[in-house]
Amino acid sequence: MTATFVGMPVFPTAARAALADTQLRRNLAHATSTIRAKRLSVVSEVEEWEDLRLAGAAIKDQALLDLDQHLLRLEERLTANGAIVHWARDAAEACAIVAQVARDHEVDEVVKVKSMATAEIELNERLAEHGIAAWETDLAELIVQLGDDLPSHILVPAIHRNRAEIREIFLTRMAGAGKAAPADLTDDPPELAAAARQHLREKFLRAKVGISGANFAVADTGTLVVVESEGNGRMCLTLPEVLVSVVGIEKVLPTWTDLEVFLQTLPRSSTGERMNPYTSTWSGVTPGDGPQEVHVVLLDNGRTRALADEVGRQALRCIRCSACLNVCPVYERTGGHAYGSVYPGPIGAILNPLLRGPGSGDQVDSLPYASTLCGACFEACPVRIDIPTVLVDLRAQVVDAHRGGVPSAQSVAMKGAAWTFGSGARLRAATRASGLLGDVVRRFGRRSLPGGRSALGRLPGPGAAWSGARDMPTPPSESFRAWWRRTAGGTSETSGARDPEGGPGTPRPNPGTPTTTGDRSPDQSADPSGRPAAGPLDRGVGGGAL
Ligand code: SF4
């Protein structure tokens, strides 16, 4: 069985360990840059891509707006088609339902097609408690499972492994789980894939119960849809006698025609393909063809909680394409494990807190901060989830959730800043003080930033957490307001003028501020009007008249 995310440290701690792993960073950089390039190429072929994004967002929003009605319609249609529909409020209920189905059929093993919903509820681990082995059949999931590892990517769970590592896992672990890998196995991809195929085929043909998720659930036809690249999903969905599909309630689409948008945007955004090699649909039981007993578990597990969040509910539009992961600079450097969840990257940073609730734990609360807010995720998302806006809103919710009790150093600092900025006199006093501090620090400071500006070193006490990860320039000797008054808005650079705000009488050279006469180069001297003559940048390109 795979390892578990339970007990993972907060994001900054986990990220620090990941950043130190150079092999991991090399593997990730190679994989994400390859997928990024493929995606960009196929997306740029579609002229109406932006219209497809808008359509996808609108369909999902509409589906979420009337979710209750669509779910009831889906249940009605599935039941009419011979499936048995179950409702699960949380992970425990969903796992208990699946375990019961397996027990009813007296099996001690099941085969699974990759499913984020079943990973989210840790179904494999719960089934193991009942003595039932769940075998992953997706190639990447198989690698993760055999390696007793954790998934680190939505689409490519073993993205953090390279070919040599995969060969090693197959050679050392496959025999213990079933058919062994050939002893002369190399790290050539076709050979690795062939070894996995031989290993899995035995399991497919033996398994009585298959377990799946679904990418979409169409309400008006009662149809579940799985799109995939390898074909193992289709084997899982068609070969066993019994099929159990665990489906998040947000996967509902109102009509069959809604699929047309997502079957264009999902493959391009995820694998950089124009269409999925395998698209499987099933609507219940067909006598003599495929599974003769079909169960569908409709899973909430925090989704209605996310739906109630006005800003965050857009996260439920997610079609799990992973495009946001592949463009995220934070994900590319830390990998997926640092997020401590089956949902990593930008979508994981919002989906986990939305499903579990801000304030539910330090690890969850650290996730909305695991972002630079650069916005690349929003640009890439095929359903236009505004992840940066949701992140900012969740940060506010995390702060709100921790109000009361002993105030943190950060909240004390913020309260102090609010008090200072609340009054002009206090702000002026603080600016003067920071100028004096800047003078002192400059004398002792030993670090300098690109461009020559000096910087503070590591601060003591609670400030260490801030300064340990950031450059902190020393405060300028003279504030902008003081400079403005002294120089009449930059029109007069009089040496020795008194700081009208009561600051030091002799103006100090200030990096980035025009200096007083005496240290100017000839072409920077003031013109007769008192204005500084044009500098190189002001002269314009080619001596133009501007
Ligand atoms: S948030 Fe958007 S880009 Fe990220 S996985 Fe979901 S659908 Fe794809």
Side-chain angles (χ1 to χ4, degrees):
M1 297 299 105
T2 50
T4 168
F5 281 109
V6 174
M8 288 289 281
V10 293
F11 182 84
T13 307
R16 197 163 291 127
L19 285 169
D21 186 340
T22 50
Q23 179 67 58
L24 171 79
R25 292 179 64 178
R26 256 198 304 277
N27 295 350
L28 282 169
H30 174 71
T32 53
S33 59
T34 306
I35 305 176
R36 267 202 308 268
K38 274 182 79 181
R39 176 190 159 273
L40 265 182
S41 155
V42 293
V43 163
S44 62
E45 295 171 355
V46 184
E47 273 181 33
E48 68 276 21
W49 182 253
E50 202 51 36
D51 292 336
L52 285 172
R53 290 179 78 208
L54 287 164
I59 291 168
K60 279 285 194 174
D61 279 349
Q62 191 57 42
L64 291 169
L65 203 61
D66 301 318
L67 187 60
D68 52 344
Q69 293 168 36
H70 298 311
L71 285 171
L72 290 174
R73 175 85 175 137
L74 178 70
E75 179 185 32
E76 179 194 313
R77 296 303 306 153
L78 281 166
T79 307
N81 294 334
I84 301 160
V85 177
H86 309 260
W87 297 80
R89 274 171 295 201
D90 54 26
E93 283 190 5
C95 292
I97 292 164
V98 181
Q100 188 59 50
V101 172
R103 273 204 304 266
D104 288 348
H105 291 273
E106 297 173 347
V107 299
D108 59 6
E109 65 172 9
V110 297
V111 286
K112 281 182 67 200
V113 54
K114 181 165 102 62
S115 152
M116 308 238 46
T118 58
E120 172 191 324
I121 60 176
E122 304 203 315
L123 180 63
N124 291 10
E125 291 73 23
R126 299 295 84 79
L127 289 178
E129 290 166 5
H130 293 276
I132 301 162
W135 300 114
E136 297 291 348
T137 62
D138 174 87
L139 177 56
E141 283 287 357
L142 175 70
I143 294 163
V144 168
Q145 185 173 44
L146 291 176
D148 199 17
D149 199 354
L150 288 164
S152 65
H153 191 274
I154 287 178
L155 194 75
V156 199
I159 196 170
H160 54 291
R161 298 289 198 182
N162 61 27
R163 285 193 274 156
E165 291 172 305
I166 294 167
R167 172 183 173 271
E168 188 61 26
I169 289 170
F170 280 9
L171 280 175
T172 54
R173 300 294 187 90
M174 256 184 182
K179 188 171 174 57
D184 59 351
L185 183 69
T186 72
D187 64 4
D188 189 29
E191 271 199 46
L192 294 172
R197 187 178 297 117
Q198 292 302 320
H199 179 82
L200 290 172
R201 187 142 304 206
E202 188 191 42
K203 290 193 173 0
F204 282 132
L205 294 174
R206 198 174 59 210
K208 199 169 167 190
V209 175
I211 297 177
S212 83
N215 292 93
F216 305 102
V218 181
D220 72 348
T221 55
T223 307
L224 302 182
V225 183
V226 158
V227 291
E228 42 135 2
S229 298
E230 297 174 2
N232 48 21
R234 180 162 295 179
M235 304 274 269
C236 247
L237 296 168
T238 53
L239 286 177
E241 291 169 26
V242 181
L243 174 63
V244 188
S245 301
V246 181
V247 185
I249 54 175
E250 83 285 12
K251 296 294 175 74
V252 169
L253 297 179
T255 69
W256 181 261
T257 49
D258 294 330
L259 273 177
E260 105 186 46
V261 171
F262 302 106
L263 293 184
Q264 294 179 74
T265 52
L266 178 54
R268 283 188 154 86
S269 304
S270 53
T271 50
E273 293 167 305
R274 294 183 182 88
M275 64 182 291
N276 283 97
Y278 297 88
T279 301
S280 303
T281 65
W282 67 107
S283 302
V285 174
T286 305
D289 183 15
Q292 296 302 291
E293 186 177 317
V294 173
H295 296 260
V296 179
V297 183
L298 296 174
L299 175 72
D300 183 332
N301 206 33
R303 284 157 176 79
T304 47
R305 197 207 161 279
L307 193 62
D309 186 308
E310 284 184 20
V311 178
R313 71 170 60 124
Q314 57 186 303
L316 297 179
R317 290 185 205 146
C318 178
I319 55 173
R320 312 280 191 263
C321 70
S322 77
C324 58
L325 278 66
N326 299 329
V327 297
C328 177
V330 176
Y331 176 86
E332 182 172 326
R333 283 154 186 82
T334 63
H337 293 163
Y339 294 81
S341 154
V342 66
Y343 302 112
I347 183 61
I350 61 172
L351 198 55
N352 291 303
L354 285 166
L355 294 178
R356 295 191 220 165
S360 60
D362 289 346
Q363 196 276 333
V364 170
D365 287 351
S366 71
L367 294 177
Y369 297 91
S371 169
T372 61
L373 301 180
C374 69
C377 46
F378 172 58
E379 295 299 323
C381 179
V383 283
R384 290 177 60 88
I385 299 172
D386 188 351
I387 294 176
T389 296
V390 181
L391 283 167
V392 172
D393 188 69
L394 285 169
R395 289 180 188 186
Q397 291 189 42
V398 168
V399 171
D400 286 341
H402 290 278
R403 287 197 196 284
V406 180
S408 66
Q410 187 188 21
S411 78
V412 170
M414 287 299 157
K415 279 203 172 67
W419 182 81
T420 306
F421 281 85
S423 142
R426 288 197 288 266
L427 182 59
R428 274 194 296 280
T431 327
R432 277 199 302 275
S434 94
L436 289 171
L437 176 70
D439 278 350
V440 173
V441 171
R442 227 179 324 282
R443 289 206 166 81
F444 295 102
R446 288 288 170 267
R447 294 191 55 225
S448 87
L449 301 176
R453 188 167 180 184
S454 63
L456 296 173
R458 200 177 171 89
L459 295 176
W466 174 272
S467 58
R470 296 167 179 83
D471 292 322
M472 196 157 178
T474 51
S477 305
E478 185 179 34
S479 70
F480 175 75
R481 288 161 65 109
W483 172 83
W484 184 266
R485 291 195 189 184
R486 177 172 61 75
T487 64
T491 58
S492 163
E493 285 284 340
T494 312
S495 178
R498 179 94 190 146
D499 180 350
E501 292 190 355
T506 305
R508 293 165 291 274
N510 195 17
T513 302
T515 55
T516 53
T517 54
D519 59 353
R520 283 205 173 115
S521 61
D523 69 342
Q524 288 176 310
S525 57
D527 71 12
S529 72
R531 289 181 180 279
L537 291 176
D538 299 320
R539 281 196 285 268
V541 178
L546 286 177

